[in-house]
Amino acid sequence: MDCIPVLEGKVALVSYITSISSLLALHASSYSPWVAALFLLPLLGLLPLPRLRQIAMVAAISCGLGLLFSAGLLLLTCSETLPFLGAYLMALSFFHFSEYLLTAAYNHTTLTIHSFLLDHSPEYAVAALASWLEFAAEYWLFPGFKTAHPYFSLVGALLVGGGELLRKLAMTQAKSNFTHTVMFRKRASHRLVTGGVYGWVRHPSYVGWFYWSLGTQVLLCNPLCLVAYTLASWKFFAERTYNEERYLIEFFKQEYVDYKKRVWSGLPFIRGFPLEEVGNAFPASDLDVASVGGK
């Protein structure tokens, strides 16, 4: 685990793997000596030292996500009626855990308990709750509907897997240049990343998250939330890329303008900060105004 330089990241990884293996061992009716220790980890939070409380919270969240992953795996492999719900639970668990783990590995100076993204925003929580309620209601009213279209769910699984892979590649290739929040001030070490997946699209992490979120609803066969997620996610990323590119142009000036002209955003019908507004927003001395087009 040398690639994870901070203790919190190592604790998260061990807790996640231990909780998965423990639940699977219990399901197989074999004793796991880690089970008792697993559920005692949160008790560390009662200790007075702030660092230990932080580590206890990381361990508890990682254990919870691990248990969610293993529960999903059991549904996927053992249930005849809810296998795609199991796949969804696995995807949800891994997404949030890997957000924390990769932040610990590549940008640990920004690592906090919020790096799990479980409390991303009230809107994110409402969207997740809405998808669970739709799935439960439709499964109760039309139980055959959720299993009648396995190929539809397989398409969702591909979207989820592809979106997850793209986002995590973006995080690993950007390293410390990747953050979960829009930066308003340029750090001394901040560099513009234009290679790898950033050579395909300007915002690979957003593209990955966009299609991951839509894929979860296709996977669950949630038609109402699929429409709602599409509209809400598009609006969120349209606003996010506009604001982010405004600061990236301020940070990197002509370098980012040239990059923006070469590489598309990757998000459907989203342009980011329009180049025709650059001349009005920034001093002409910082940019080659004559070269700024209207992409």
Side-chain angles (χ1 to χ4, degrees):
M1 293 191 290
D2 293 339
C3 61
I4 305 174
V6 290
L7 178 60
E8 287 85 348
K10 295 176 181 179
V11 168
L13 181 59
V14 171
S15 301
Y16 189 72
I17 294 175
T18 299
S19 63
I20 293 174
S21 59
S22 297
L23 186 58
L24 294 179
L26 286 174
H27 176 72
S29 300
S30 61
Y31 173 72
S32 173
W34 294 99
V35 174
L38 170 68
F39 295 103
L40 290 175
L41 282 173
L43 295 180
L44 292 174
L46 299 177
L47 297 174
L49 299 178
R51 182 76 185 279
L52 284 179
R53 288 202 300 269
Q54 174 81 3
I55 291 173
M57 290 178 64
V58 169
I61 293 172
S62 299
C63 285
L65 291 173
L67 292 173
L68 184 66
F69 185 94
S70 51
L73 181 59
L74 292 175
L75 278 176
L76 178 64
T77 55
C78 302
S79 173
E80 296 182 359
T81 58
L82 295 172
F84 293 113
L85 176 61
Y88 165 79
L89 295 177
M90 293 171 64
L92 186 66
S93 164
F94 184 79
F95 174 83
H96 287 287
F97 172 73
S98 58
E99 290 290 311
Y100 185 90
L101 187 68
L102 290 184
T103 302
Y106 292 102
N107 196 6
H108 63 87
T109 58
T110 67
L111 186 69
T112 70
I113 204 71
H114 304 294
S115 300
F116 283 105
L117 294 188
L118 290 169
D119 57 349
H120 176 268
S121 66
E123 293 81 4
Y124 182 78
V126 169
L129 180 60
S131 72
W132 303 337
L133 291 175
E134 180 184 351
F135 182 89
E138 291 173 352
Y139 183 75
W140 179 56
L141 294 171
F142 315 105
F145 175 73
K146 295 299 185 182
T147 56
H149 310 284
Y151 294 108
F152 191 72
S153 292
L154 286 174
V155 170
L158 291 174
L159 286 172
V160 167
E164 178 75 30
L165 178 61
L166 181 59
R167 180 169 173 85
K168 294 316 185 274
L169 284 174
M171 293 180 70
T172 56
Q173 291 176 6
K175 295 184 170 60
S176 63
N177 298 293
F178 180 93
T179 60
H180 281 136
T181 57
V182 174
M183 301 300 294
F184 302 105
R185 292 183 177 85
K186 182 182 179 184
R187 292 176 287 108
S189 61
H190 196 177
R191 299 291 181 269
L192 179 62
V193 180
T194 60
V197 292
Y198 289 88
W200 306 344
V201 293
R202 293 198 307 274
H203 301 285
S205 67
Y206 295 161
V207 175
W209 198 354
F210 178 77
Y211 287 106
W212 179 90
S213 66
L214 301 191
T216 60
Q217 300 313 297
V218 177
L219 182 61
L220 292 174
C221 292
N222 279 354
L224 299 179
C225 278
L226 175 58
V227 174
Y229 270 48
T230 301
L231 296 175
S233 297
W234 188 92
K235 183 177 183 296
F236 171 80
F237 287 119
E239 294 174 353
R240 181 81 171 229
T241 55
Y242 180 94
N243 293 325
E244 182 171 297
E245 289 192 349
R246 167 69 175 76
Y247 287 104
L248 288 171
I249 293 172
E250 180 181 332
F251 296 165
F252 299 105
K253 301 180 173 57
Q254 190 66 38
E255 183 183 5
Y256 192 82
V257 170
D258 292 340
Y259 171 62
K260 180 177 170 65
K261 292 168 68 175
R262 291 196 312 271
V263 181
W264 75 303
S265 73
L267 294 158
F269 308 108
I270 292 179
R271 300 170 60 198
F273 191 83
L275 287 179
E276 58 266 24
E277 295 184 20
V278 170
N280 297 326
F282 300 94
S285 59
D286 290 341
L287 301 163
D288 180 5
V289 178
S291 71
V292 175
K295 183 178 177 182

